Amino acid sequence: MKPLTHKGVENLVPYPPGKPIEELEREFGIFGSIKLASNENPLGPSPMAVKAIVEKIPSLHRYPDGSGYYLKRRLGEILGLPMEQIILGNGSNEIIELIIRTFLAAGDEVVQAFPTFLVYEKMVNGARGQMISVPLRDFRIDLDDVHAAITPRTKILFINNPNNPTGTILFKDEMLRFLEGIPRDIVVVLDEAYIEFTTDPQVARGEDLLAVCPRLVVLRTFSKLYGLAGLRIGYGFADSELIDYMNRVRQPFNANALAQAAATAALDDRDFVARTLETTRTGLAFLYAGLREMGLEALPTQTNYFLIRVPIPGKQVFERMLREGVIIRAMDSYGLPEFIRINVGLPQENERFLEALKKVLEGERR
């Protein structure tokens, strides 16, 4: 018989979706759980986005705007780009998939630094490509190592800045040097899902790099800063030629009507953005201080999440924290079994995390 599918799909491990919090509480006999595992915005969605959603509900019998006109127009005003250089997606994840479906042929190579966002490799393997992973150096992407991994078969580079899960950044000057040396037939994907959280003024930003690399595609999302993860809405910007090819592959109406309305409104919700950034930075300072008191190493970050080195396997910490009603992320799948990752929560959630972690680790020492 002919094989049902190809090896790239057969060897994939399905993404393990977490159980609903309500089901976890029932299973473990707990209540009032908190989730610090998915780098979400603890403040909830942008209030202006919520208002726009409510106003849009009466027209849900209509298909969404397939061109994304109003959202792309507003993004273009902010970025200083024409609308034809912008593409919308069902989350930035869909744009990653569009890039791979548009530009990658079976057998082509893709280069990434690892550990990084796990979706890149999953999608490349599913498309019969070959992922080449370059180890990080001191938890940072080494662009020289990435460049050295390029071969005549390389078609796409994935660069996550800030990098997930490490929270480290690349600087504008090093990215400019790197991009100037990249062959013109390679598509460079710069994933900036967390770029709005960065505080270092020297961080590389996609809009400053487009002129240097005509094959650069920059990705951003409304899931984190704007609190719209449940709506699945993201965007990318690049040279109009690349966007044109991706639009040929893109499904019509891929960005739903509520998501487009909410994202357009959220872009102007300056008060919510300011509160989100203040909550993040205040929370980081509090969490780092508490972890230092416990004698634990927390890696510096430029995002709303960070890695913590723990004295017992991270998976054990995850399982024991779950019983305390605190959902965190173990890092085994990233090749970092001695770490856990959390995102900043509300002040009371940050306090509860520290209390639960202290209890879990003290119980291990007894």
Side-chain angles (χ1 to χ4, degrees):
M1 292 179 60
K2 295 179 181 178
L4 186 61
T5 185
H6 59 86
K7 289 184 179 179
V9 172
E10 286 186 354
N11 295 334
L12 285 178
V13 177
Y15 183 83
K19 293 181 181 179
I21 290 180
E22 296 80 6
E23 180 62 19
L24 286 171
E25 290 181 336
R26 185 200 64 77
E27 183 177 333
F28 290 100
I30 56 180
F31 62 92
S33 298
I34 62 171
K35 182 185 178 188
L36 304 176
S38 299
N39 307 339
E40 296 158 335
N41 191 321
L43 297 179
S46 152
M48 289 178 63
V50 173
K51 182 175 182 290
I53 289 171
V54 173
E55 293 173 351
K56 193 70 177 176
I57 287 174
S59 64
L60 288 186
H61 60 300
R62 304 295 185 191
Y63 282 104
D65 173 16
S67 71
Y69 178 84
Y70 294 107
L71 178 52
K72 290 201 293 188
R73 184 179 69 178
R74 186 69 188 104
L75 286 168
E77 291 169 354
I78 293 169
L79 296 168
L81 293 173
M83 291 169 57
E84 58 266 24
Q85 287 190 240
I86 301 171
I87 189 168
L88 304 181
N90 183 29
S92 57
N93 275 21
E94 188 197 19
I95 305 177
I96 295 169
E97 187 172 18
L98 282 174
I99 292 166
I100 291 169
R101 289 172 55 206
T102 303
F103 302 113
L104 192 72
D108 285 346
E109 292 180 353
V110 178
V111 179
Q112 67 173 4
F114 191 82
T116 193
F117 189 37
L118 299 178
V119 166
Y120 306 146
E121 185 163 7
K122 181 180 181 66
M123 291 185 179
V124 166
N125 290 341
R128 304 191 188 195
Q130 183 177 356
M131 178 62 83
I132 308 298
S133 294
V134 178
L136 301 181
R137 289 181 184 265
D138 297 324
F139 298 98
R140 289 189 76 244
I141 297 172
D142 188 300
L143 293 174
D144 290 336
D145 289 348
V146 172
H147 190 278
I150 294 173
T151 75
R153 294 175 60 189
T154 303
K155 193 62 179 292
I156 300 173
L157 305 179
F158 277 107
I159 298 173
N160 194 203
N161 185 46
N163 188 48
N164 181 11
T166 59
T168 53
I169 61 170
L170 294 167
F171 300 109
K172 181 179 178 180
D173 58 349
E174 60 182 338
M175 273 297 296
L176 285 171
R177 288 194 301 271
F178 171 73
L179 292 173
E180 287 171 351
I182 297 300
R184 298 295 178 175
D185 57 353
I186 292 177
V187 175
V188 181
V189 182
L190 183 61
D191 188 345
E192 296 186 333
Y194 299 91
I195 194 69
E196 296 97 343
F197 291 97
T198 60
T199 57
D200 194 314
Q202 301 304 315
V203 65
R205 300 181 66 91
E207 58 265 45
D208 300 326
L209 305 171
L210 283 179
V212 178
C213 183
R215 296 286 176 89
L216 179 68
V217 183
V218 184
L219 307 182
R220 291 184 183 167
T221 181
F222 289 91
S223 295
K224 313 302 180 180
L225 181 68
Y226 300 102
L228 302 182
L231 281 179
R232 311 308 302 127
I233 182 73
Y235 64 98
F237 53 94
D239 183 85
S240 57
E241 180 186 20
L242 299 185
I243 298 296
D244 174 61
Y245 280 120
M246 292 163 63
N247 275 324
R248 299 181 195 188
V249 175
R250 178 180 62 85
Q251 291 293 317
F253 314 122
N254 64 320
N256 74 74
L258 296 183
Q260 289 188 47
T264 305
L267 285 169
D268 292 320
D269 199 342
R270 295 182 180 86
D271 177 67
F272 180 76
V273 167
R275 287 194 292 120
T276 296
L277 295 177
E278 177 60 25
T279 298
T280 300
R281 288 156 193 172
T282 302
L284 284 173
F286 175 81
L287 287 163
Y288 276 91
L291 292 166
R292 280 195 300 270
E293 289 181 7
M294 296 168 61
L296 296 176
E297 177 191 3
L299 270 60
T301 188
Q302 285 280 317
T303 64
N304 65 336
Y305 61 85
F306 60 99
L307 292 174
I308 304 166
R309 192 188 299 271
V310 285
I312 60 175
K315 193 170 183 179
Q316 289 185 26
V317 176
F318 161 76
E319 291 168 350
R320 295 174 189 181
M321 291 287 281
L322 207 55
R323 287 168 171 77
E324 299 296 324
V326 179
I327 305 169
I328 61 171
R329 186 75 181 263
M331 290 284 102
D332 296 64
S333 56
Y334 290 85
L336 299 169
E338 73 276 27
F339 285 90
I340 58 172
R341 190 195 69 196
I342 67 163
N343 62 262
V344 175
L346 297 172
Q348 63 270 27
E349 293 174 330
N350 298 333
E351 290 180 13
R352 183 169 170 189
F353 164 76
L354 290 175
E355 291 168 0
L357 183 61
K358 185 176 182 179
K359 179 180 177 181
V360 163
L361 296 182
E362 285 182 347
E364 175 67 20
R365 296 187 186 107
R366 292 194 189 104

